[in-house]
Amino acid sequence: MTAQINATVAGVPRIGPKRELKKALETYWKDDSTGRNLATVATQLVNQQADNLTEAGLDSVPTIGRSFYDSMLDTSALLGALPTRVADIDDHGNDGLPAFIDRLFAAARGTAELPASAMTKWFDTNYHYIVPELAADTEFRLDDAALLADLGDQLTRGTAARPVLIGPLTYLSLARTTDGSDALTHLEEVFEAYARLLPRLAERGAAWVQFDEPYLVTDVDRDDARKADLLARTRAGYEALVAAAGDTNLLVQTYFGDGDLAIGTLSGIGIAAFGVDLVTGRTDERQADDTNVADADLLPSWTGTEQLLAGVVDGRNIWRTDLARALETLKTLAARGPVGVSTSSSLLHVPYSLAQETSLDNDPQLRSWLAFGAEKVAEVAVLSRLLTGTETEDDETAVAVAHDAVAGRRASERTRNSVLRTRTDAVTDADRRRNPFDQRREVQEQELGLPPLPTTTIGSFPQTTEIRQARAKLRKGELTAGQYHQAMVDEVKDVIERQEALGLDVLVHGEPERNDMVQYFSEQLDGYHSTDLAWVQSYGSRCVRPPILFGDVTRPEPMTVEWFRVAQSFTDKPVKGMLTGPVTMLAWSFVRDDQPLGATADQVALALRDEISDLVDAGAKIIQVDEPAIRELLPLRASQQPAYLAWAVGAFRLATAGVDDATQIHTHMCYSEFNELIGTVGDLDADVTSIEASRNGMRVLHALRDSGFELGVGPGVWDIHSPRVPEQDEVDTLLNEALEAVPARQLWVNPDCGLKTRGWDETTASIKVLVAAAEKARASVNA
Ligand code: GLN
Ligand code: ZN
């Protein structure tokens, strides 16, 4: 008889409620004699978390041990598969830190001599993992001393610790190889390494071990035969793990999508439980109706042989759960087999606790609509007591209070602004359409009088220490609002003068006044709430505070017009108005779940549309609407992508199509390869798109040429992510490649992305190179 889990969560954050790990890491990186402190802080955090979860009523507590940076990176270390270039790093693995700690950090962050590993977004979240670097000859040696020591500690402390490992299919599917080989040829080897680990975990008394296989919610492979082969090998691998595990129960966990494929692939081989996400794609009204599965139709592959850990509490958004409704789902499932209660994903993606969030002190209503990590754990515990019939009176009250809160949110005027709703109802396709590009281009060329191959930048200029200090002083009251404003005006003037001196054609104000390209706007829009302490790990020691988009979004007053005016007053050259697009405004926020994302995006779009109109009235001839995150929200399954792209494109066009022919709309995209999305870039119908290109060898150019792209385009010719000033030759070559792929009349010359993380010296030197390249190329175009 296998044991059962009644109440758990799918995973835990590591950075600490007050970002304790971040601070200890950064201290250690500055001074490695502080290793003892880092070890102590990490141990305390893990122990504290285990105690909290146990006290809150969970009967199985996921643990990743002391995880110092990222779980994918931990997995590489555990499997002995850190990049070979870090093997010789002199390691300070003493003071209670894992033996490989400095090699781990060298892989994650690079050193003065060695490049860092690539980092990319974890599925469709804003969390970044360190991409494993493998090759055909990678050997997987189990290096489990650190994990076993940590777990041993957890077990002796008496918490029901459940080690969480990244499953072989997911680990390898997200890996890259340095030699072009297929990482998945290692699938059996990784299973074998885990098969060696499992008895060692069992020996230490682990009752459960969890394998995360979120890759099983994707299409896995576009090729049906390859997909079938991978799934068959995965099944065989888990069969071997079950055999190796002895009395230890295995839990296979998926998240961010439908867990049915995981169950269908792995049922009947002795896995004890499947953990699944029952939130994504199921929240009321959030998705199109055809993906909103009724409780009775959930998980057709689940026959009740294995236990189901039903993730009914949202692990990646911050809304309070409607407990009554979740309980209905749980009961419907419990009629089919054994069910335990869990979250839809790891709590890594939400802040620790509402209790410490001071920004809500004056807004009890909004607070009552929310649940952060600790509150979600409590929800799981209540639901589990209700499901097992061990509830208390307090639990019944909790159900009623939660129901009222959810209903209150839906009915509140703060979430439903009738004036705005009348306006969105009246939006027609015509509002999303401009005149044909040819016609616009003619007018814009006359209006702007730019040279061929115009030069520009993406928006931000270096956010210097002085700028950040000024903002900190404003917060602390050491600068008045007026003094801060003047400091920013001076900065804008300086940035304009520098651009004039460098000979750029289209200028920007430099964005010194923006703390962050989403938060800056969210602070000025109604329907958004900015938090004080609601930190979420983004990668390594870096945390972000995504604002909360809780209600109908409206713009009380212009947001950027004054800064545009200031900037334009210092120059006769055109200054671009600079805005963040609707999709990116959603992607980097916690977004309401009570209406389709597309409806929310349209509300943001209308606010931007008004802002653009005000910018035009203030004299802006060019307006850029950044959409760096458009690729990030792309659904994991191909079948769901067209619907997403339709609303994403629709919202961008609603924001930008209100202008007349003479106004030139720019957009900017980065963070990924856009080759497959080039059709979408065209659909946005921006007059000019600047796009990251130099890091992947301008591959986007082929896509542009093959698709017959006719709009203006600026493939980035300077990789701003590298602190190196590019050689003249390099930029000349990139620009010439661009000229071969795209007619000169369409081409713009710009860097890959904004410059806020760069210093002034490298920025000035690099822009000189960029402008010189454009001038040279112009001579040949004119000839
Ligand atoms: N305009 C923004 C900037 O230059 C764009 C940032 C981005 O693409 N992520 O900083
Ligand atoms: Zn960018």
Side-chain angles (χ1 to χ4, degrees), residues 458-460 511 517 578 588 624 626 628 668 670-671 753-754 756:
I458 307 304
S460 58
E511 306 178 22
M517 66 186 288
M578 194 64 59
W588 296 345
Q624 179 170 312
D626 291 328
H668 166 69
C670 54
Y671 292 135
C753 194
K756 58 173 161 273

Side-chain angles (χ1 to χ4, degrees), residues 448-619:
L448 290 164
L450 296 169
L453 308 177
T455 54
T456 192
T457 59
I458 307 304
S460 58
F461 269 90
Q463 283 258 343
T464 57
T465 328
E466 294 82 70
I467 295 175
R468 273 175 284 138
Q469 274 169 0
R471 207 162 8 258
K473 283 186 185 159
L474 174 71
R475 259 200 316 271
K476 288 186 212 142
E478 291 166 22
L479 279 187
T480 64
Q483 286 168 325
Y484 173 75
H485 187 262
Q486 188 56 48
M488 295 302 120
V489 170
D490 294 345
E491 180 66 27
V492 169
K493 180 160 189 273
D494 181 56
V495 166
I496 294 286
E497 282 165 3
R498 287 175 189 256
Q499 293 175 85
E500 293 249 20
L502 286 163
L504 286 161
D505 300 309
V506 171
L507 311 193
V508 296
H509 80 287
E511 306 178 22
E513 80 290 8
R514 302 189 185 177
N515 38 14
D516 170 273
M517 66 186 288
V518 169
Q519 195 184 338
Y520 179 75
F521 290 97
S522 74
E523 282 169 0
Q524 302 187 68
L525 289 165
D526 281 349
Y528 256 115
H529 176 84
S530 303
T531 61
D532 292 334
L533 294 165
W535 296 101
V536 175
Q537 188 181 24
S538 171
Y539 61 86
S541 66
R542 204 182 129 75
C543 297
V544 294
R545 278 176 304 174
I548 299 171
L549 194 170
F550 63 87
D552 281 357
V553 174
T554 52
R555 184 192 72 138
E557 48 189 60
M559 304 182 283
T560 63
V561 175
E562 194 47 40
W563 290 112
F564 167 76
R565 278 220 183 85
V566 166
Q568 189 69 78
S569 74
F570 297 127
T571 179
D572 294 331
K573 289 190 169 176
V575 174
K576 286 194 271 193
M578 194 64 59
L579 303 170
T580 302
V583 177
T584 302
M585 286 300 294
L586 265 51
W588 296 345
S589 307
F590 289 118
V591 181
R592 63 191 297 179
D593 61 352
D594 58 346
Q595 65 179 10
L597 290 173
T600 307
D602 271 357
Q603 295 182 350
V604 176
L606 286 175
L608 293 170
R609 190 177 171 107
D610 295 347
E611 182 74 11
I612 290 173
S613 160
D614 287 342
L615 281 166
V616 170
D617 290 348

